[in-house]
Amino acid sequence: MSFGWATDSAKKALTALREAWPCPADDLRLFEARRELARIEWVVARRAAKVAALPPSLIPGLNDDSALARNAHRRLNEHISALRDELSAYERLLTPFELIDDAEFERVTALLLTRSGCFDVRVSGGARDLGADVTGVLPGGLRVVVQCKRNAPARPVGSPDVQRFGGTCFMVHQADVALIVTTSTFTQSAREYAGLAGIVLTDGDAMKRWTLGVVPPWQW
Protein backbone atom coordinates (compact mmCIF):
# COMPACT_ATOMS: atom_id res chain seq x y z
CA MET A 1 0.00 0.00 0.00
CA SER A 2 1.52 3.32 -1.08
CA PHE A 3 0.85 6.57 0.74
CA GLY A 4 2.71 8.67 -1.82
CA TRP A 5 -0.46 10.38 -2.99
CA ALA A 6 -1.33 11.36 0.59
CA THR A 7 2.15 12.72 1.25
CA ASP A 8 2.05 14.79 -1.95
CA SER A 9 -1.44 16.05 -1.12
CA ALA A 10 -0.40 17.08 2.41
CA LYS A 11 2.71 18.84 1.05
CA LYS A 12 0.64 20.79 -1.49
CA ALA A 13 -1.93 21.81 1.13
CA LEU A 14 0.83 22.89 3.53
CA THR A 15 2.61 24.95 0.86
CA ALA A 16 -0.64 26.66 -0.17
CA LEU A 17 -1.45 27.45 3.45
CA ARG A 18 1.96 28.94 4.17
CA GLU A 19 1.76 31.08 1.06
CA ALA A 20 -1.70 32.27 2.08
CA TRP A 21 -0.60 34.05 5.25
CA PRO A 22 -1.89 36.54 6.07
CA CYS A 23 -5.53 35.88 5.27
CA PRO A 24 -8.92 36.40 6.94
CA ALA A 25 -10.68 33.65 8.86
CA ASP A 26 -13.12 33.02 6.01
CA ASP A 27 -10.41 32.63 3.36
CA LEU A 28 -11.17 29.70 1.07
CA ARG A 29 -7.59 28.40 1.39
CA LEU A 30 -8.10 27.76 5.10
CA PHE A 31 -11.28 25.82 4.40
CA GLU A 32 -9.58 23.79 1.67
CA ALA A 33 -6.61 22.96 3.91
CA ARG A 34 -8.88 21.77 6.72
CA ARG A 35 -10.91 19.69 4.29
CA GLU A 36 -7.81 18.15 2.72
CA LEU A 37 -6.34 17.24 6.09
CA ALA A 38 -9.57 15.57 7.14
CA ARG A 39 -9.75 13.68 3.83
CA ILE A 40 -6.16 12.45 4.07
CA GLU A 41 -6.53 11.28 7.66
CA TRP A 42 -9.80 9.50 6.94
CA VAL A 43 -8.58 7.68 3.82
CA VAL A 44 -5.24 6.72 5.35
CA ALA A 45 -6.90 5.37 8.50
CA ARG A 46 -9.40 3.39 6.45
CA ARG A 47 -6.75 1.86 4.19
CA ALA A 48 -4.47 1.10 7.12
CA ALA A 49 -7.31 -0.72 8.87
CA LYS A 50 -7.96 -2.85 5.78
CA VAL A 51 -4.30 -3.75 5.42
CA ALA A 52 -4.04 -4.62 9.12
CA ALA A 53 -6.83 -7.13 8.65
CA LEU A 54 -4.97 -8.99 5.87
CA PRO A 55 -2.49 -11.84 6.37
CA PRO A 56 1.10 -10.57 6.02
CA SER A 57 1.63 -12.91 3.08
CA LEU A 58 -0.90 -10.96 1.02
CA ILE A 59 0.96 -7.66 1.37
CA PRO A 60 4.58 -8.52 0.50
CA GLY A 61 7.03 -5.70 1.06
CA LEU A 62 4.58 -3.61 3.03
CA ASN A 63 4.50 -5.36 6.39
CA ASP A 64 5.86 -3.97 9.62
CA ASP A 65 9.37 -5.20 8.79
CA SER A 66 9.61 -3.21 5.60
CA ALA A 67 12.03 -0.25 5.87
CA LEU A 68 10.43 1.22 2.75
CA ALA A 69 7.00 1.15 4.33
CA ARG A 70 8.26 2.62 7.59
CA ASN A 71 9.98 5.48 5.79
CA ALA A 72 6.85 6.19 3.73
CA HIS A 73 4.72 6.29 6.87
CA ARG A 74 7.24 8.53 8.61
CA ARG A 75 7.25 11.04 5.76
CA LEU A 76 3.49 11.04 5.61
CA ASN A 77 3.15 11.55 9.36
CA GLU A 78 5.66 14.41 9.27
CA HIS A 79 3.69 16.24 6.60
CA ILE A 80 0.35 15.60 8.29
CA SER A 81 1.80 16.88 11.59
CA ALA A 82 3.18 20.00 9.87
CA LEU A 83 -0.20 20.65 8.25
CA ARG A 84 -1.94 20.29 11.62
CA ASP A 85 0.55 22.69 13.22
CA GLU A 86 0.04 25.24 10.45
CA LEU A 87 -3.73 25.11 10.81
CA SER A 88 -3.36 25.46 14.57
CA ALA A 89 -1.15 28.51 14.03
CA TYR A 90 -3.81 30.10 11.84
CA GLU A 91 -6.48 29.46 14.43
CA ARG A 92 -4.32 31.14 17.07
CA LEU A 93 -3.60 34.18 14.92
CA LEU A 94 -7.23 34.60 13.95
CA THR A 95 -8.69 34.22 17.45
CA PRO A 96 -9.74 37.61 18.90
CA PHE A 97 -7.43 38.70 21.70
CA GLU A 98 -10.31 39.06 24.15
CA LEU A 99 -10.94 35.31 23.89
CA ILE A 100 -7.44 34.19 24.94
CA ASP A 101 -5.61 34.22 28.27
CA ASP A 102 -2.24 35.70 29.19
CA ALA A 103 -0.26 32.57 28.37
CA GLU A 104 -1.90 32.22 24.96
CA PHE A 105 -1.21 35.88 24.20
CA GLU A 106 2.48 35.22 24.84
CA ARG A 107 2.37 32.20 22.53
CA VAL A 108 0.65 34.23 19.81
CA THR A 109 3.32 36.91 20.15
CA ALA A 110 6.02 34.25 19.81
CA LEU A 111 4.26 32.92 16.72
CA LEU A 112 4.20 36.41 15.20
CA LEU A 113 7.93 36.77 15.83
CA THR A 114 8.55 33.48 14.08
CA ARG A 115 6.30 34.47 11.17
CA SER A 116 8.27 37.70 10.88
CA GLY A 117 11.54 35.85 10.34
CA CYS A 118 12.88 35.63 13.89
CA PHE A 119 14.58 32.48 15.10
CA ASP A 120 15.40 30.92 18.48
CA VAL A 121 12.05 32.28 19.68
CA ARG A 122 11.23 31.30 23.24
CA VAL A 123 8.33 31.94 25.61
CA SER A 124 9.75 32.55 29.06
CA GLY A 125 6.90 34.35 30.76
CA GLY A 126 6.38 33.66 34.46
CA ALA A 127 6.65 35.09 37.93
CA ARG A 128 10.44 35.32 37.69
CA ASP A 129 10.86 36.40 34.08
CA LEU A 130 11.89 39.96 35.06
CA GLY A 131 9.76 41.36 32.27
CA ALA A 132 10.96 39.10 29.44
CA ASP A 133 7.90 37.14 28.33
CA VAL A 134 9.18 36.28 24.85
CA THR A 135 12.69 36.44 23.43
CA GLY A 136 14.15 35.80 20.00
CA VAL A 137 16.72 36.80 17.44
CA LEU A 138 15.83 39.08 14.53
CA PRO A 139 16.81 38.10 10.96
CA GLY A 140 19.76 40.48 11.19
CA GLY A 141 21.07 38.86 14.37
CA LEU A 142 19.79 41.39 16.93
CA ARG A 143 18.27 40.07 20.15
CA VAL A 144 14.64 41.05 20.74
CA VAL A 145 13.00 40.97 24.17
CA VAL A 146 9.23 41.31 24.46
CA GLN A 147 6.93 41.98 27.37
CA CYS A 148 3.27 41.04 26.83
CA LYS A 149 0.41 42.93 28.47
CA ARG A 150 -2.99 41.39 27.84
CA ASN A 151 -5.09 44.20 29.30
CA ALA A 152 -8.74 45.03 28.89
CA PRO A 153 -9.33 47.69 26.21
CA ALA A 154 -10.19 50.30 28.85
CA ARG A 155 -7.05 49.59 30.90
CA PRO A 156 -4.05 51.23 29.22
CA VAL A 157 -0.45 50.35 30.04
CA GLY A 158 1.02 53.15 32.12
CA SER A 159 4.46 54.65 32.53
CA PRO A 160 5.35 52.61 35.67
CA ASP A 161 4.98 49.35 33.72
CA VAL A 162 7.15 50.65 30.90
CA GLN A 163 9.75 51.95 33.36
CA ARG A 164 9.96 48.58 35.12
CA PHE A 165 10.57 46.87 31.78
CA GLY A 166 13.10 49.54 30.87
CA GLY A 167 15.02 48.68 34.01
CA THR A 168 15.62 45.08 32.95
CA CYS A 169 15.26 44.72 29.19
CA PHE A 170 18.66 46.15 28.29
CA MET A 171 20.82 45.61 31.38
CA VAL A 172 19.49 42.20 32.47
CA HIS A 173 18.19 40.65 29.26
CA GLN A 174 20.71 42.24 26.91
CA ALA A 175 18.06 43.38 24.42
CA ASP A 176 19.05 45.03 21.18
CA VAL A 177 15.37 45.61 20.48
CA ALA A 178 12.96 46.01 23.44
CA LEU A 179 9.28 45.65 22.68
CA ILE A 180 6.08 45.89 24.74
CA VAL A 181 2.93 44.54 23.14
CA THR A 182 -0.54 44.95 24.56
CA THR A 183 -4.15 44.25 23.70
CA SER A 184 -5.10 47.74 24.93
CA THR A 185 -3.33 51.11 24.60
CA PHE A 186 -0.54 53.12 26.24
CA THR A 187 -0.84 56.30 28.23
CA GLN A 188 0.85 59.42 26.94
CA SER A 189 3.40 59.32 29.75
CA ALA A 190 4.19 55.71 28.88
CA ARG A 191 4.81 56.68 25.26
CA GLU A 192 7.02 59.56 26.32
CA TYR A 193 9.17 57.36 28.53
CA ALA A 194 9.39 54.66 25.86
CA GLY A 195 10.58 57.23 23.36
CA LEU A 196 13.35 58.34 25.71
CA ALA A 197 14.35 54.77 26.63
CA GLY A 198 14.26 53.36 23.11
CA ILE A 199 11.44 50.89 23.80
CA VAL A 200 9.08 49.99 20.95
CA LEU A 201 5.39 50.08 21.93
CA THR A 202 2.75 48.09 20.09
CA ASP A 203 -0.90 48.62 21.07
CA GLY A 204 -3.93 46.45 20.38
CA ASP A 205 -4.71 47.95 16.97
CA ALA A 206 -1.09 47.54 15.89
CA MET A 207 -1.10 43.92 17.10
CA LYS A 208 -4.15 43.21 14.95
CA ARG A 209 -2.39 44.72 11.94
CA TRP A 210 0.65 42.58 12.69
CA THR A 211 -1.47 39.42 12.63
CA LEU A 212 -2.69 40.49 9.20
CA GLY A 213 0.81 40.55 7.82
CA VAL A 214 1.78 44.19 8.24
CA VAL A 215 5.54 44.60 8.77
CA PRO A 216 6.64 43.90 12.37
CA PRO A 217 6.81 46.76 14.89
CA TRP A 218 10.59 47.14 14.84
CA GLN A 219 10.35 48.09 11.15
CA TRP A 220 7.79 50.87 11.64
Side-chain angles (χ1 to χ4, degrees):
M1 178 179 59
S2 173
F3 288 122
W5 68 271
T7 301
D8 290 342
S9 182
K11 287 171 62 177
K12 290 178 181 177
L14 179 61
T15 299
L17 195 57
R18 284 176 173 168
E19 292 176 348
W21 188 75
C23 68
D26 59 352
D27 192 286
L28 183 60
R29 288 166 294 191
L30 282 176
F31 170 77
E32 291 176 343
R34 294 189 185 102
R35 182 182 61 183
E36 189 63 15
L37 176 60
R39 184 179 78 90
I40 292 170
E41 291 181 322
W42 182 81
V43 173
V44 169
R46 187 177 181 185
R47 291 190 180 183
K50 288 183 178 179
V51 169
L54 295 175
S57 59
L58 297 182
I59 47 173
L62 287 179
N63 53 42
D64 291 340
D65 296 325
S66 169
L68 183 63
R70 289 197 300 272
N71 287 335
H73 280 93
R74 178 182 55 78
R75 289 193 299 272
L76 174 60
N77 288 331
E78 286 175 352
H79 284 92
I80 288 178
S81 178
L83 186 55
R84 281 200 203 101
D85 290 345
E86 192 72 9
L87 282 168
S88 176
Y90 264 96
E91 290 171 1
R92 280 182 168 178
L93 290 173
L94 295 171
T95 301
F97 292 138
E98 58 267 23
L99 300 182
I100 62 178
D101 59 18
D102 293 352
E104 181 64 10
F105 184 54
E106 291 173 0
R107 289 191 288 267
V108 167
T109 300
L111 180 58
L112 286 170
L113 288 176
T114 301
R115 290 290 176 119
S116 299
C118 295
F119 57 94
D120 198 21
V121 176
R122 301 180 183 182
V123 177
S124 54
R128 299 182 180 179
D129 61 15
L130 296 177
D133 294 319
V134 184
T135 60
V137 180
L138 301 183
L142 299 178
R143 176 173 170 80
V144 59
V145 176
V146 187
Q147 183 174 83
C148 302
K149 293 288 188 183
R150 196 192 70 84
N151 290 4
R155 183 178 160 226
V157 178
S159 181
D161 288 323
V162 180
Q163 290 181 40
R164 278 191 291 271
F165 182 58
T168 61
C169 60
F170 297 113
M171 295 297 294
V172 176
H173 300 297
Q174 302 298 307
D176 296 305
V177 177
L179 177 67
I180 300 180
V181 299
T182 183
T183 51
S184 62
T185 58
F186 296 93
T187 63
Q188 183 59 35
S189 59
R191 292 186 179 278
E192 290 173 355
Y193 176 82
L196 293 173
I199 298 172
V200 180
L201 301 183
T202 306
D203 62 20
D205 289 339
M207 282 294 288
K208 291 175 182 177
R209 292 197 299 273
W210 193 7
T211 63
L212 294 176
V214 176
V215 294
W218 54 86
Q219 294 182 8
W220 296 348

